[in-house]
Amino acid sequence: MIELANELGVSSYVFFTCSAAILGFVFYLPIHYNQIGREFETSDSDSIIPAYSHPVPTNVVPSFAFNKYGGYASSLKHATRFKETKGIIVNTFAELEPHAVNQLKSDSETLPIYTAGPLLDLEGKRQDSDCERIMKWLDDQPPSSVVFLCFGSMGSFEPDQLAEMAIAIERSGYRFLWAVRSPPFKDDPTKRMGEYSNLSDVLPEGFLERTENRGLLCGWAPQMEVLAHEAVGGFVSHCGWNSTLESLWYGVPVATWPLYAEQQINAFELVRELELALELKLDYRTENAKNLVMAEEIEKAIRCLMDSENPIRGRVKEMKEMSRKAIQNGGSSFISVGRLIEDIHINKANKA
Ligand SMILES: *[C@@H]1O[C@H](CO)[C@@H](O)[C@H](O)[C@H]1NC(C)=O
Ligand SMILES: *[C@@H]1O[C@H](CO)[C@@H](O)[C@H](O)[C@H]1NC(C)=O
């Protein structure tokens, strides 16, 4: 696209939908390649990546970086090509990732970095009968009493892991809203993942009956509306960047359970760098089928997440206010987008 834009005499910009820290990770790859000469390997020691203030353990490095032709080589190329554009627009805000944003700005030489976030789809509601059922149920629950478990449209678990989760949820005693998705059908891998046709078959015997007065299960949840609801007190999340921005926008604390893509390093950033989330898991990966998370560990995290005294709760509330200020008139992202518009005009004028 950059070449095409050049041919047409049009300025190109990158819109980067992940965090500023991940952009920093991509820019770190050429340095990594110069030092090591190959993709990441699981036995590698921690990496010093400038966009992160702590050394980054190899077990949270994005999966693509371990696979030469499955992502490492192309990301390495992106790191160079991104710098041929007129600037990079990142879906984040300066107050959320101060270290990463400052580091990117000081390190990217003349390449402008524009923080434009949080960009959220606040209007995109899906109204259907299940959505209504969920919101009605939430209306009947006391404030901050419900733990919400949801792992994105691609986030699924095998029955043995679901069973551990069910035991933990039941033992925690908390009210819950749990979005459960099935893995791609084994007998027909062309079928996409979806909803289990009968949850009684995969959850521990009697679970549904015993918890029917304090919990609700669904195959798909209107995540934004759920997070906006005052009944929700905590969110067990896969830490996709959208979900992260959404949970902060509504001030709901997260317990981290990353699954794939760059979610492990997002979880690491939230827990270690920003102290804005509670660690359930940092290094869980869907592709490592053997790493079953046991019920005790999940239960402990849910209790800690829902504890009203947890200091993370206050920090997340502060970040909620900052995320809203960032996009208002005079806020950091507002100013940054203004600068983007000015720079586009200048680039256009220089061409003419
Ligand atoms: C993230 O949110 C944006 C809307 O703000 C949407 O267009 C995009 O598809 C979402 N990405 C994922 C992976 O869900
Ligand atoms: C789901 O499975 C349970 C136990 O296997 C059975 O009792 C129940 O009737 C099934 N429900 C549906 C809707 O098929």
Side-chain angles (χ1 to χ4, degrees), residues 157-317:
F157 295 99
E158 297 289 342
D160 56 348
Q161 184 62 76
L162 289 177
E164 294 296 324
M165 293 162 96
I167 294 168
I169 290 167
E170 188 173 354
R171 282 199 200 135
S172 79
Y174 281 101
R175 292 164 201 262
F176 65 89
L177 172 62
W178 185 11
V180 183
R181 300 189 69 73
S182 73
F185 298 94
K186 285 212 176 82
D187 46 348
D188 183 0
T190 60
K191 270 202 197 142
R192 288 174 61 89
M193 59 190 65
E195 299 172 11
Y196 282 103
S197 53
N198 189 346
L199 281 168
S200 317
D201 295 341
V202 286
L203 296 175
E205 207 176 328
F207 171 81
L208 293 173
E209 292 74 23
R210 288 192 301 274
T211 59
E212 76 184 338
N213 291 325
R214 63 177 175 88
L216 194 69
L217 285 106
C218 58
W220 182 90
Q223 181 167 299
M224 287 286 263
E225 284 159 279
V226 169
L227 289 171
H229 200 287
E230 64 163 7
V232 174
F235 181 21
V236 180
S237 168
H238 64 312
C239 303
W241 192 242
N242 272 357
S243 294
T244 299
L245 294 176
E246 289 167 10
S247 65
L248 292 171
W249 181 260
Y250 290 112
V252 180
V254 158
T256 59
W257 192 327
L259 301 178
Y260 54 88
E262 90 301 0
Q263 294 160 6
Q264 291 78 20
I265 201 166
N266 288 348
F268 170 79
E269 184 185 13
L270 284 171
V271 171
R272 292 287 149 75
E273 303 260 310
L274 309 177
E275 298 182 0
L276 280 173
L278 192 130
E279 175 173 348
L280 198 169
K281 275 282 159 195
L282 296 183
D283 62 349
Y284 185 93
R285 283 179 208 266
T286 301
E287 69 241 40
N288 298 352
K290 63 179 189 305
N291 55 11
L292 196 63
V293 187
M294 302 310 286
E296 291 72 31
E297 210 175 335
I298 307 166
E299 181 191 346
K300 204 173 125 227
I302 291 176
R303 285 182 186 281
C304 194
L305 174 71
M306 297 301 284
D307 179 359
S308 59
E309 304 291 309
N310 193 322
I312 284 171
R313 200 164 278 279
R315 283 201 287 276
V316 167
K317 287 271 179 306

Side-chain angles (χ1 to χ4, degrees), residues 2-166:
I2 296 171
E3 272 154 30
L4 187 64
N6 286 345
E7 240 172 71
L8 296 170
V10 174
S11 305
S12 40
Y13 290 82
V14 172
F15 175 47
F16 198 75
T17 58
C18 300
S19 66
I22 293 292
L23 182 59
F25 180 81
V26 172
F27 284 146
Y28 166 74
L29 289 179
I31 302 168
H32 177 264
Y33 190 74
N34 281 341
Q35 285 172 354
I36 317 275
R38 57 156 170 79
E39 64 279 18
F40 282 81
E41 280 177 11
T42 47
S43 57
D44 290 346
S45 50
D46 296 358
S47 304
I48 306 298
I49 303 177
Y52 294 82
S53 55
H54 295 73
V56 178
T58 304
N59 63 5
V60 304
V61 164
S63 304
F64 71 77
F66 290 94
N67 190 335
K68 188 167 183 190
Y69 297 112
Y72 184 85
S74 69
S75 300
L76 195 60
K77 208 182 209 173
H78 285 162
T80 328
R81 304 284 341 245
F82 282 0
K83 295 193 172 174
E84 296 170 24
T85 66
K86 290 280 186 274
I88 305 184
I89 304 149
V90 190
N91 190 7
T92 190
F93 54 105
E95 293 81 359
L96 174 60
E97 301 185 82
H99 175 84
V101 169
N102 286 333
Q103 195 282 326
L104 274 176
K105 286 188 173 177
S106 67
D107 197 50
S108 64
E109 294 134 46
T110 54
L111 179 72
I113 304 289
Y114 306 97
T115 50
L119 290 159
L120 304 169
D121 185 10
L122 296 169
E123 305 288 315
K125 291 183 179 171
R126 191 184 97 164
Q127 286 297 351
D128 62 15
S129 60
D130 209 35
C131 187
E132 235 167 71
R133 175 181 76 110
I134 291 166
M135 298 318 290
K136 227 157 135 187
W137 181 83
L138 282 175
D139 287 343
D140 291 335
Q141 313 306 318
S144 297
S145 67
V146 175
V147 57
F148 174 42
L149 301 99
C150 185
F151 301 89
S153 48
M154 303 285 284
S156 65
F157 295 99
E158 297 289 342
D160 56 348
Q161 184 62 76
L162 289 177
E164 294 296 324
M165 293 162 96

